[in-house]
């Protein structure tokens, strides 16, 4: 067991937990706030690749113990949306928690005590939402469409999402489009909704399906690490999971990535290439995210002289068993749906470097981020090939930096890669460090070259598209807490832009906001023609969306890739 490696993975988890707590309610206008967020993201990702913390690994046990001590305070303060427990109940809870861990240690069943504490505390503080996200609501609705004999990949079948599911407002849960409207179509492979058939049939909240996979994923780590006699790895994994209360709140709140993590973890743990392929195929059958692992997984199997053919064959087989019917039903509908997360004009939100683009501080056309993800992936593939011994037990973390350069960096895109790192720690062989030294110059060259290419590409996509920030012109006629009246004109910067658009509007305030989308107010959509102007009235849909007094506000006018920003101040 490499204590330094385990500690670096654990620290990565803790840093991300701090960042998620710090930036849980976003503020897209505060430069200091944004900088701290991105710094913690980069630091957390860096620790995923640090192998030996020689200076502090001698304090490994003390650091892990300190985290176990902190965990009940985290749950009491932030768990279950703050249960408001009385002091006496909190004391009893703490006694049970520490008592179980102490008893497990004394009886030499520490890992079992940790597992029991994990289940007890998470069950106690579990507060499942009905849906929590539009993605899960669409999956649930799609399950019903499938049960009724229709093709859920036909966007018409789920277009009435917000009419069918009542008390589920797009203002809070929707994914807006830059051309107007919200995502209402299924955008993921078939297991995403097939797993929700029991919830649909028996009429229970689909979030319980996700919570089930959350518990089962942790149980899988315990079972396989115990079988490999590596339970100290499990003991180092759990505090990093529990100290981040979002690991519980996300599946309970409708964020479903834990399901693919379950299958990828199984794929990493099992020895048979057939089973590895089956479980990986099931992961990809649920969501596209684990596809980012595929090139690294294949390189790993090749370098380890494993049977790649069996992995690929059984991976394709498990994917086709679950998705083949829908592909045959309508290839065009299926592939347009599963590619829609990339091809759809989704509004810019998130927590990565793209903040500087979609908040208008330094506009970069969104295709830059897609190209950047490809460049980073290629660079990491080359890096993995030429320095294989160095990254042999860390390749599952490569997608972290790929997704960090996405246009919409959401927490669930990056928070689970450290879990897979712990799974890989159970498959360590002797590493030839001489081989690493021979390639260290190459790795530095690759990293520096990648950064130079990304910087140059960023400048290109900024200066070539800077005109997109000056296509709309706004004069503010009236501005109050709940109403803005604007005179808006449209003057396209080049001939490739449309002659008329339906301008969209949203507000950022220089304070923490209750929604990552910003505040999208009500207005009557009307066409705006080139060289013309229109009077548009924006009204707050809810009092909670009103602008507080003495607040700096960024008004965004956008359509497609065009984005103009105007700064206002409410006295």
């Amino acid at each position: 067991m490499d204590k330094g490696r385990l500690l670096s993975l654990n620290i990565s988890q803790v840093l991300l937990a701090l960042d998620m707590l710090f930036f849980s309610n976003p503020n897209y206008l505060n430069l200091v706030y944004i900088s701290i967020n991105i710094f913690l993201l980069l630091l957390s990702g860096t620790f995923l690749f640090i192998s030996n913390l020689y200076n502090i690994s001698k304090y490994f046990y003390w650091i892990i113990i300190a985290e176990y001590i902190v965990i009940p305070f985290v749950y009491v303060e932030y768990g279950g949306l703050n249960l408001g427990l009385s002091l006496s109940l909190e004391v009893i809870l703490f006694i049970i928690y520490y008592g179980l861990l102490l008893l497990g240690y004394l009886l030499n069943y520490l890992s079992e005590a940790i597992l029991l504490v994990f289940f007890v505390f998470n069950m106690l503080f579990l507060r499942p939402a009905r849906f929590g996200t539009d993605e899960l609501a669409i999956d649930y609705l799609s399950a019903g469409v499938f049960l009724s004999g229709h093709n859920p990949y036909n966007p018409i079948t789920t277009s009435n999402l917000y009419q069918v599911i009542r008390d589920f407002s797009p203002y809070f849960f929707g994914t807006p489009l830059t051309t107007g409207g919200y995502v209402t179509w299924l955008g993921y492979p078939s297991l995403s909704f097939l797993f929700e058939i029991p919830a649909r049939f028996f009429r229970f909240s689909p979030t319980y399906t996700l919570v089930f996979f959350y518990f089962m994923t942790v149980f899988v780590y315990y079972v396989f690490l115990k079988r490999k006699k590596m339970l100290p790895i499990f003991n180092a994994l759990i505090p990093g999971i529990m100290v981040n209360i979002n690991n519980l709140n996300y599946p309970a709140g409708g964020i479903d990535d834990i399901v693919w993590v379950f299958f990828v973890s199984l794929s990493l743990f099992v020895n048979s290439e057939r089973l590895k392929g089956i479980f990986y195929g099931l992961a990809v059958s649920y969501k596209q995210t684990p596809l980012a692992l595929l090139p690294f997984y294949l390189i790993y199997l090749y370098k380890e002289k494993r049977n790649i053919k069996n992995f690929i064959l059984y991976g394709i087989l498990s994917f086709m068993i679950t998705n083949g019917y829908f592909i045959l039903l309508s290839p065009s509908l299926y592939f347009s749906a599963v590619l829609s997360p990339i091809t759809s004009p989704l509004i810019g939100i998130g927590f990565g470097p793209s903040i500087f683009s979609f908040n208008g501080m330094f506009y970069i056309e969104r295709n830059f981020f897609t190209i950047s993800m490809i460049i980073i992936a290629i660079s990491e593939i080359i890096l993995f090939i030429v320095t294989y011994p160095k990254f042999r037990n860390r390749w599952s973390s490569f997608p972290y930096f790929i997704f960090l350069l996405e246009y919409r960096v959401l927490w669930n895109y990056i928070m689970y890669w450290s879990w897979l790192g712990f799974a890989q720690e159970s498959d360590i062989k002797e590493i030839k460090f001489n081989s690493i030294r021979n390639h260290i110059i190459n790795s530095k060259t690759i990293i520096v070259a990648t950064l130079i290419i990304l910087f140059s590409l960023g400048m290109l996509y900024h200066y070539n598209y800077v005109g997109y920030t000056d296509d709309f012109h706004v004069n503010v006629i009236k501005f109050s807490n709940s109403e803005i009246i604007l005179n808006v004109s449209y003057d396209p910067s080049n001939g490739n832009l449309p002659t008329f658009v339906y301008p969209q509007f949203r507000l950022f305030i220089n304070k923490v906001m209750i929604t990552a989308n910003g505040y999208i107010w009500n207005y009557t959509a009307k066409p705006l023609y080139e060289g013309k102007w229109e009077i548009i009235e924006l009204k707050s849909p809810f009092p909670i969306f009103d602008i507080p007094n003495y607040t700096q506000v960024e008004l965004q006018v956008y359509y497609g890739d065009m984005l103009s920003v105007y700064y206002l101040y409410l006295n």
Side-chain angles (χ1 to χ4, degrees):
M1 182 183 72
D2 184 348
K3 294 178 184 177
R5 173 66 181 144
L6 292 179
L7 191 57
S8 66
L9 287 170
N10 176 271
I11 291 174
S12 174
Q13 291 178 306
V14 173
L15 288 170
L16 191 60
L18 290 173
D19 195 18
M20 293 177 74
L21 179 63
F22 173 77
F23 213 68
S24 57
N25 295 109
N27 181 339
Y28 295 135
L29 300 184
N30 189 311
L31 185 59
V32 174
Y33 204 61
I34 296 169
S35 300
I36 293 173
N37 162 56
I38 294 177
F39 172 75
L40 289 174
L41 283 175
L42 292 172
L43 196 60
S44 176
T46 301
F47 269 94
L48 291 174
F49 295 94
I50 295 176
S51 57
N52 294 299
L53 294 175
Y54 290 118
N55 294 330
I56 63 172
S57 61
K58 59 184 177 181
Y59 302 112
F60 172 80
Y61 291 109
W62 291 110
I63 293 173
I64 297 299
I65 289 171
E67 291 176 14
Y68 276 112
I69 292 173
V70 168
I71 284 169
F73 294 93
V74 173
Y75 272 69
V76 168
E77 182 66 26
Y78 301 105
L81 303 178
N82 196 337
L83 294 179
L85 299 176
S86 65
L87 180 60
S88 58
L89 287 176
E90 289 182 8
V91 171
I92 293 172
L93 199 62
F94 279 41
I95 291 173
I96 293 173
Y97 173 86
Y98 296 125
L100 285 173
L101 291 182
L102 180 60
L103 186 63
Y105 174 76
L106 295 175
L107 297 177
N108 202 26
Y109 284 99
L110 179 58
S111 298
E112 289 72 18
I114 289 171
L115 183 65
L116 178 60
V117 163
F118 171 83
F119 277 102
V120 169
F121 261 63
N122 281 282
M123 289 297 292
L124 179 62
F125 288 89
L126 177 64
R127 293 295 180 273
R130 184 187 174 204
F131 294 104
T133 63
D134 60 339
E135 179 184 334
L136 188 60
I138 293 170
D139 291 343
Y140 182 79
L141 184 60
S142 298
V145 170
F146 175 67
L147 289 174
S148 66
H150 300 286
N151 184 1
Y153 287 103
N154 186 338
I156 296 175
T157 60
T158 55
S159 60
N160 59 348
L161 171 70
Y162 293 104
Q163 289 75 44
V164 172
I165 301 179
R166 298 181 180 180
D167 302 321
F168 190 73
S169 172
Y171 291 98
F172 295 97
F173 303 106
T175 300
L177 302 172
T178 60
T179 51
Y182 293 85
V183 171
T184 58
W185 56 83
L186 179 64
Y188 298 98
S190 63
L191 282 188
S192 63
F193 68 87
L194 291 177
F195 278 161
E196 297 306 336
I197 288 177
R200 183 76 184 193
F201 190 80
F202 294 105
R203 298 184 181 278
F204 61 83
S205 171
T207 54
Y208 283 104
T209 304
L210 309 183
V211 171
F212 170 78
F213 275 99
Y214 173 60
F215 287 125
M216 286 303 299
T217 303
V218 171
F219 187 68
V220 160
Y221 276 77
Y222 168 78
V223 169
F224 278 93
L225 290 172
K226 182 178 182 180
R227 182 180 298 176
K228 296 185 177 187
K229 302 184 186 304
M230 292 185 174
L231 281 176
I233 296 177
F234 178 78
N235 300 345
L237 164 70
I238 294 301
I241 291 176
M242 294 187 71
V243 80
N244 187 350
I245 196 66
N246 290 298
N247 282 310
L248 170 65
N249 289 343
Y250 270 35
I255 297 174
D256 60 1
D257 291 73
I258 192 62
V259 180
W260 71 257
V261 176
F262 171 80
F263 288 114
V264 171
S265 299
L266 281 172
S267 180
L268 294 175
F269 276 126
V270 297
N271 291 321
S272 166
E273 289 85 358
R274 292 183 177 91
L275 290 176
K276 284 181 178 292
I278 289 171
F279 288 129
Y280 180 77
L282 291 174
V284 176
S285 295
Y286 188 83
K287 210 164 190 179
Q288 301 93 321
T289 306
L291 278 173
L293 283 171
L294 183 58
F296 309 106
Y297 211 152
L298 294 177
I299 293 168
Y300 165 78
L301 293 172
Y302 174 79
K303 291 283 190 177
E304 298 296 315
K305 296 179 169 47
R306 306 293 291 269
N307 193 327
I308 296 181
K309 291 181 180 179
N310 278 347
F311 174 82
I312 294 174
L313 176 63
Y314 282 85
I316 293 174
L317 182 64
S318 66
F319 179 83
M320 290 305 296
I321 286 174
T322 54
N323 288 270
Y325 168 76
F326 301 100
I327 295 174
L328 293 174
L329 203 60
S330 176
S332 60
L333 287 177
Y334 178 86
F335 287 108
S336 64
V338 297
L339 291 174
S340 64
I342 298 175
T343 59
S344 299
L346 306 180
I347 199 171
I349 65 168
F351 312 100
S354 61
I355 291 176
F356 293 109
S357 175
F358 67 72
N359 72 1
M361 288 186 182
F362 191 82
Y363 177 81
I364 299 178
E365 202 270 336
R366 65 190 300 155
N367 285 326
F368 160 79
F369 297 95
T370 302
I371 296 171
S372 295
M373 293 174 69
I374 296 172
I375 291 172
I376 291 175
I378 293 172
S379 300
E380 289 180 337
I381 290 169
I382 297 171
L383 186 65
F384 189 35
I385 292 172
V386 301
T387 61
Y388 178 77
K390 184 175 183 179
F391 293 101
R392 181 193 175 276
N393 65 321
R394 279 168 275 174
W395 57 266
S396 62
S397 297
F398 278 125
Y400 181 97
F401 284 105
I402 296 175
F403 285 102
L404 191 61
L405 261 290
E406 192 169 9
Y407 187 63
R408 291 165 51 90
V409 184
L410 306 182
W411 297 120
N412 47 303
Y413 297 167
I414 59 177
M415 64 187 287
Y416 292 111
W417 303 111
S418 60
W419 292 46
L420 304 182
F422 283 97
Q424 283 197 273
E425 282 301 299
S426 66
D427 183 33
I428 294 178
K429 294 181 181 178
E430 183 179 355
I431 297 176
K432 297 179 181 179
F433 287 95
N434 288 336
S435 174
I436 295 174
R437 293 192 187 99
N438 291 338
H439 292 297
I440 192 69
I441 296 178
N442 289 340
S443 64
K444 289 181 179 178
T445 301
I446 293 167
I447 293 170
V448 171
T450 302
L451 293 176
I452 292 174
I453 292 171
L454 290 177
F455 177 80
S456 303
L457 198 64
M459 294 299 101
L460 176 68
Y461 272 84
H462 169 69
Y463 289 108
N464 275 13
Y465 293 91
V466 70
Y468 281 20
T469 63
D470 196 36
D471 295 309
F472 297 105
H473 301 280
V474 172
N475 289 317
V476 179
I477 298 173
K478 180 183 178 181
F479 180 30
S480 67
N481 304 86
S482 59
E483 183 184 26
I484 303 177
I485 299 177
L486 308 169
N487 182 322
V488 184
S489 59
Y490 175 50
D491 184 20
S493 55
N494 66 66
N496 295 324
L497 295 174
T499 56
F500 74 94
V501 297
Y502 286 83
Q504 310 297 311
F505 304 86
R506 71 169 166 175
L507 305 172
F508 290 155
I509 63 173
N510 196 1
K511 293 182 179 179
V512 294
M513 298 183 293
I514 61 172
T515 169
N517 287 335
Y519 296 150
I520 297 179
W521 283 9
N522 290 328
Y523 56 92
T524 301
K526 56 180 72 174
L528 183 60
Y529 289 86
E530 179 180 351
K532 304 295 183 179
W533 56 268
E534 292 285 350
I535 301 296
I536 296 178
E537 182 182 21
L538 310 178
K539 285 192 173 182
S540 173
F542 311 101
I544 199 171
F545 275 27
D546 288 359
I547 304 300
N549 290 329
Y550 310 107
T551 302
Q552 182 189 20
V553 179
E554 179 182 282
L555 168 67
Q556 294 198 341
V557 188
Y558 59 93
Y559 184 87
D561 288 334
M562 296 177 282
L563 171 66
S564 298
V565 300
Y566 296 87
Y567 293 95
L568 314 172
Y569 186 82
L570 186 62
N571 292 317

